[in-house]
Amino acid sequence: MSYPNPAKNTVDDFELEEVIFTSNRGEGTSYAIQNIITDFDIYEHLDKPFLSMKMAIVDTVNFVQSVDLQGGESVRITIQSLETKKAGEKIVKNFIVDKVIQSTRPDDKTEVYYLHCFEDIVLTSSLVNINRHYNNTPAKIVQNIINEYLGRNVIRSTDEYQTNMQVIVPNMHPIEAASWIKNRITSVDGFPFYLYSTLNSDDMYLVDLGQLLSRSPINKKAPMTWIQSTSQQHLTDNVMPILKYEHKHVDDILSLIRSGYAGASYNFLNTLTGQNSLCEFDVTNDVFEQLRDHTIFKEQNRYNYPSSAGLTVTGSQVMTKIASNGSYKNANYSVRTLDEESDPIAYKKRITGAALKNFMSKAPITVQVNGRPFIAATGDYTIGNVVRLLFLDSQLEQDKTADPDYKKSGDYLMYSAKHSFSTRNPNRVVTTLLCARLSMYSDNLSVGDFMNV
Amino acid sequence: MYNNSFYGDDVRWFIGRVVDNNDPLRLGRLRVRIYGIHSGSTEHIPEYALPWAQVVVPVTEEGSTGYGSNPAILPSAQVFGIFLDGKDSQLPLVIGSIPKIESDKADDDQYTNPTDDQLPGQSNAEKIFLYLISDDQHAYTPEQACGMLGNLKHESNLNPLQVSDVPGEDSYGIAQWNPAPGVKRKQELIEYCTTNGYDYTSLFGQLKWLKADLDKNNFRRVDKKLGDLKDARTVEIASKIFEFKYEAPQPGSTDVRIENSLKYYETFVTGTSS
């Protein structure tokens, strides 16, 4: 991954090759509108199996009136990054207009329309109701729903812990149903699964957090770096500058405790047997210590949690759920239902999954960087990958390279991304990344050591 | 996922229609097709895929193992209940029944195929009864027809699309014709219907095949002591012959089949059934 220096760069970051707007009114006429688009943002998120987009149309020719924009129109957008132009690789995405967010009139001859769009599968999904039964593993049910109703290929982790379940989808659209089932999946180690789409691929991904966090940082030797001090500017030669960052509303430990993700007693009641499966949950012993030898904690081994502070009191929260009434228990065979498990260990996997997912949001950081590396159509470089961030500590000494600020520095999972494209000469793309992690590096590494971990 | 710390805070109520009270665990559970949650399509949600709902019994029943009586709700009853898991709607619990004005259509008319409109009768039960006593191919007596009907009720709830809920068995249709390699009854149904231009998923096609099959004396078990179905004089004998020679099920359901048959006899012949 090479980084262009935006300050010195005068050439376009990308080429907006084509934006085709197709109205669903009348005969379905198509229009090439790339010349009247000034800005557009494309959003990706690990919790959403579709992309969304906001775009600004500068209308000086009564375009919106003439096409009678009503919502539901399709917008096909073709982008080419400079890195992949020679190879001819392009990003082509199909969206539908969800709504007009706002229209403003800066002068008598111009109207600016801000449109909100979803990837086309959202409309496809919204037009289908699923009310049918499934009997399979939850990951295969999700895959079947996506394949059958949305026509997308699903690339998934095979490390699924859960066995077959029988379920009747109670009137949901396919994306809603797939997400509903997906929330019941964990890996063998208890990592939750994510179902997401990316900018650079037409596939959908169903991957567990353990697999995502185990990935090597895509910028291992050249971290995204925040540098303000002029004495440290020499570092910028090998790194990607962070243009802006935001680190707020983090380390909200109380909400994690109150939600039962730090320590709680979980009861899973089966009304057919009248028995209760009790799971005493303690995130330190049941999650972090259990995963101590996992790849994700091999280098970055300081948990993002004050484990010795006495905050994990198992009885401090009591959660009780009816997990089964033997809906699918017959005389000679039975199939588990949506929230039913065979034993307390299996229930604990689910709690672990939910806890890990929530601990991921404990200390996120938002960074803004040049977006060119992320729009290369040759591979997936955006959400679901790990990036390395470097912040220098505030105790700067004269003529000495500062140490990393380990509270913010480290390897993070890209959880969501906003790619802001601007077609004002030259064409620019800036990416805003929401990054999350479960652990930090130890605090005795120098900047040089950090780049070589 | 665990935001609701107490299950009682998340309740969803429902009204449904009982389709099966033959609980294999003998706990009085019911299979209920719940309005608005379980589509009427037996293709997407076959009856065997409906969850078993536990039933609340009055506090005047003991409620402990071996004591008290089981609920007596019958198929076609309209029931009220709640989902124990709220909006996930996988764990139904029946609280009571809601009496309703019974229509002419009975409990077995969930599925209709356009080709079945040519059969006289309102409900599937009535269509089957009237066809069996008709002169098409061979006319059976009302006693014999009811003996068969009671069996078919037990096998499939008179649903032509019914697939066996025994894993891997895949028996099909109103008589649960078994497709196993050594038996191939379902294949015979399909071949007959295909050859004669009938839809094998329709009640009409399956009744045509049933009579043709019986006329060939194509019984699964030969039992000379039981005699011929066509010679049976009473509902009970006809029910037993059809059960033991044609259906040949696992033992244990004879009484239920006879009870069904007698009920149909009262409905269609003597007119004493409610």
Side-chain angles (χ1 to χ4, degrees):
Chain A
M1 186 175 220
S2 62
Y3 297 132
N5 185 336
K8 298 171 186 170
N9 184 20
T10 54
V11 297
D12 291 338
D13 284 342
F14 70 96
E15 188 177 307
L16 183 58
E17 190 172 293
E18 193 175 64
V19 180
I20 301 295
F21 181 98
T22 305
S23 169
N24 48 11
R25 310 281 287 175
E27 297 174 357
T29 315
S30 294
Y31 307 87
I33 60 167
Q34 60 271 20
N35 292 333
I36 58 171
I37 291 175
T38 54
D39 300 272
F40 59 101
D41 298 338
I42 297 181
Y43 297 81
E44 304 169 274
H45 200 293
L46 274 187
D47 286 327
K48 292 179 180 169
F50 52 85
L51 307 181
S52 56
M53 177 172 73
K54 284 180 190 169
M55 64 192 299
I57 294 178
V58 180
D59 189 2
T60 55
V61 291
N62 273 344
F63 169 74
V64 172
Q65 270 195 65
S66 61
V67 298
D68 190 13
L69 193 147
Q70 298 270 350
E73 293 80 3
S74 69
V75 179
R76 193 180 74 233
I77 195 158
T78 306
I79 306 164
Q80 197 162 55
S81 84
L82 290 188
E83 273 77 6
T84 54
K85 192 169 182 179
K86 281 184 185 170
E89 304 275 359
K90 298 169 187 174
I91 292 172
V92 181
K93 288 285 164 187
N94 294 300
F95 294 90
I96 55 108
V97 176
D98 168 40
K99 61 185 172 190
V100 177
I101 302 168
Q102 190 183 4
S103 68
T104 58
R105 178 162 286 206
D107 58 61
D108 284 348
K109 293 182 176 177
T110 311
E111 184 97 27
V112 181
Y113 289 89
Y114 297 93
L115 307 185
H116 183 264
C117 304
F118 281 122
E119 206 174 354
D120 57 355
I121 54 169
V122 175
L123 179 63
T124 309
S125 179
S126 301
L127 297 173
V128 176
N129 177 54
I130 304 183
N131 185 201
R132 59 181 289 184
H133 93 288
Y134 288 93
N135 185 347
N136 215 323
T137 69
K140 285 182 184 163
I141 294 174
V142 171
Q143 186 171 22
N144 290 343
I145 289 172
I146 301 294
N147 290 162
E148 180 178 352
Y149 293 104
L150 304 180
R152 285 281 175 93
N153 181 42
V154 177
I155 296 173
R156 65 182 177 94
S157 303
T158 52
D159 189 26
E160 179 191 11
Y161 178 77
Q162 280 74 24
T163 55
N164 273 30
M165 63 158 66
Q166 185 152 332
V167 64
I168 293 175
V169 179
N171 296 314
M172 293 175 169
H173 61 77
I175 289 176
E176 186 183 12
S179 299
W180 181 62
I181 302 282
K182 176 263 299 176
N183 289 337
R184 269 80 183 175
I185 315 174
T186 69
S187 69
V188 173
D189 288 323
F191 288 105
F193 273 60
Y194 291 93
L195 180 66
Y196 62 96
S197 293
T198 65
L199 182 66
N200 300 338
S201 172
D202 289 331
D203 294 325
M204 220 175 260
Y205 297 91
L206 181 62
V207 187
D208 72 88
L209 180 62
Q211 188 175 324
L212 296 177
L213 287 174
S214 299
R215 290 174 177 169
S216 184
I218 57 174
N219 59 340
K220 199 170 180 178
K221 300 283 183 191
M224 296 174 181
T225 305
W226 172 256
I227 294 168
Q228 273 185 310
S229 167
T230 50
S231 66
Q232 308 297 327
Q233 288 298 328
H234 61 281
L235 284 173
T236 59
D237 294 341
N238 300 320
V239 299
M240 181 177 207
I242 293 173
L243 309 175
K244 258 193 231 174
Y245 82 90
E246 197 171 81
H247 191 234
K248 63 181 186 184
H249 301 305
V250 297
D251 292 325
D252 182 0
I253 194 69
L254 269 186
S255 73
L256 287 168
I257 291 172
R258 286 172 181 159
S259 305
Y261 297 123
S265 299
Y266 286 85
N267 297 279
F268 297 94
L269 194 60
N270 182 333
T271 60
L272 186 69
T273 62
Q275 291 181 339
N276 179 43
S277 289
L278 172 63
C279 294
E280 297 286 9
F281 180 72
D282 168 343
V283 76
T284 305
N285 293 328
D286 292 322
V287 181
F288 292 121
E289 288 303 316
Q290 294 296 319
L291 296 172
R292 176 175 284 282
D293 296 328
H294 197 280
T295 322
I296 66 167
F297 294 130
K298 194 176 171 189
E299 305 286 354
Q300 200 158 277
N301 55 12
R302 282 199 303 155
Y303 308 137
N304 214 4
Y305 183 68
S307 55
S308 59
L311 298 175
T312 51
V313 180
T314 53
S316 62
Q317 315 292 321
V318 178
M319 311 287 177
T320 309
K321 187 177 179 68
I322 297 180
S324 176
N325 67 350
S327 300
Y328 298 109
K329 183 163 179 56
N330 291 288
N332 301 319
Y333 70 98
S334 63
V335 184
R336 71 186 186 88
T337 185
L338 189 70
D339 284 327
E340 182 179 6
E341 296 291 357
S342 53
D343 54 56
I345 294 170
Y347 281 119
K348 200 163 266 187
K349 297 279 182 202
R350 287 189 177 217
I351 306 166
T352 298
L356 283 168
K357 192 163 190 175
N358 280 274
F359 267 82
M360 279 296 286
S361 61
K362 178 172 175 282
I365 189 165
T366 305
V367 297
Q368 196 178 75
V369 292
N370 181 278
R372 251 170 71 180
F374 302 104
I375 60 168
T378 48
D380 263 329
Y381 301 114
T382 57
I383 58 167
N385 282 295
V386 172
V387 282
R388 184 162 287 178
L389 306 186
L390 174 61
F391 292 83
L392 298 181
D393 70 16
S394 51
Q395 283 190 319
L396 282 177
E397 292 176 24
Q398 194 67 32
D399 302 327
K400 188 184 171 194
T401 302
D403 286 329
D405 167 4
Y406 284 99
K407 183 63 187 162
K408 293 197 285 287
S409 302
D411 297 342
Y412 285 81
L413 180 66
M414 286 188 271
Y415 209 90
S416 72
K418 178 175 86 169
H419 307 282
S420 302
F421 297 85
S422 165
T423 58
R424 299 184 180 101
N425 195 23
N427 290 352
R428 284 278 174 264
V429 56
V430 170
T431 294
T432 307
L433 298 168
L434 175 70
C435 302
R437 65 180 179 179
L438 287 172
S439 58
M440 299 176 279
Y441 279 109
S442 61
D443 53 7
N444 55 3
L445 297 177
S446 68
V447 169
D449 293 339
F450 181 75
M451 290 190 187
N452 288 307
V453 173
Chain B
M1 186 175 172
Y2 299 106
N3 287 342
N4 294 311
S5 59
F6 180 66
Y7 56 88
D9 295 339
D10 185 19
V11 172
R12 185 182 238 196
W13 60 268
F14 65 78
I15 292 173
R17 186 166 171 273
V18 177
V19 298
D20 190 357
N21 64 349
N22 191 17
D23 177 9
L25 299 184
R26 303 284 181 253
L27 290 170
R29 298 182 303 169
L30 304 169
R31 274 189 170 135
V32 181
R33 195 168 283 276
I34 292 164
Y35 300 121
I37 294 292
H38 303 143
S39 93
S41 162
T42 50
E43 183 187 352
H44 286 153
I45 308 180
E47 279 169 13
Y48 71 82
L50 289 170
W52 285 107
Q54 287 181 289
V55 180
V56 173
V57 294
V59 291
T60 48
E61 297 296 331
E62 286 81 348
S64 287
T65 306
Y67 295 95
S69 54
N70 275 344
I73 299 175
L74 292 173
S76 95
Q78 180 174 258
V79 292
F80 174 85
I82 58 168
F83 285 109
L84 297 171
D85 55 345
K87 289 189 175 175
D88 287 335
S89 306
Q90 306 299 307
L91 311 178
L93 173 75
V94 170
I95 293 174
S97 65
I98 306 174
K100 64 182 190 299
I101 297 169
E102 298 292 341
S103 67
D104 288 340
K105 292 193 171 189
D107 58 309
D108 37 39
D109 59 350
Q110 284 266 327
Y111 167 80
T112 56
N113 184 307
T115 61
D116 295 338
D117 290 345
Q118 60 194 297
L119 292 167
Q122 294 292 317
S123 65
N124 282 3
E126 195 179 2
K127 286 175 194 279
I128 294 170
F129 176 77
L130 292 174
Y131 179 76
L132 291 175
I133 62 171
S134 74
D135 289 331
D136 189 27
Q137 298 185 67
H138 180 98
Y140 289 90
T141 67
E143 288 78 9
Q144 293 160 0
C146 288
M148 289 189 262
L149 195 47
N151 274 277
L152 299 176
K153 169 77 176 170
H154 187 76
E155 290 290 334
S156 64
N157 205 27
L158 311 186
N159 177 0
L161 294 177
Q162 182 73 42
V163 179
S164 169
D165 58 1
V166 177
E169 185 182 300
D170 292 333
S171 291
Y172 182 80
I174 55 170
Q176 291 291 281
W177 289 285
N178 191 330
V183 189
K184 294 188 175 174
R185 303 299 291 256
K186 182 183 174 187
Q187 291 88 328
E188 289 173 346
L189 160 74
I190 295 171
E191 186 183 348
Y192 171 84
C193 288
T194 307
T195 306
N196 292 282
Y198 307 134
D199 178 354
Y200 81 91
T201 68
S202 69
L203 186 60
F204 182 72
Q206 292 185 13
L207 287 174
K208 283 276 188 185
W209 164 243
L210 179 64
K211 273 196 175 179
D213 200 26
L214 288 168
D215 280 351
K216 287 193 300 181
N217 279 326
N218 191 16
F219 292 119
R220 290 185 64 189
R221 286 185 190 159
V222 178
D223 188 340
K224 289 182 181 173
K225 279 190 289 184
L226 279 171
D228 196 319
L229 179 63
K230 291 167 188 165
D231 297 330
R233 305 274 181 188
T234 67
V235 174
E236 291 91 335
I237 296 291
S239 180
K240 280 186 179 176
I241 292 173
F242 193 79
E243 177 191 350
F244 292 117
K245 294 178 72 171
Y246 192 76
E247 293 290 355
Q250 295 293 320
S253 58
T254 305
D255 291 346
V256 178
R257 289 165 191 263
I258 292 174
E259 194 180 315
N260 288 342
S261 302
L262 289 170
K263 187 183 158 201
Y264 283 123
Y265 194 72
E266 287 174 354
T267 301
F268 296 128
V269 182
T270 63
T272 55
S273 172
S274 59

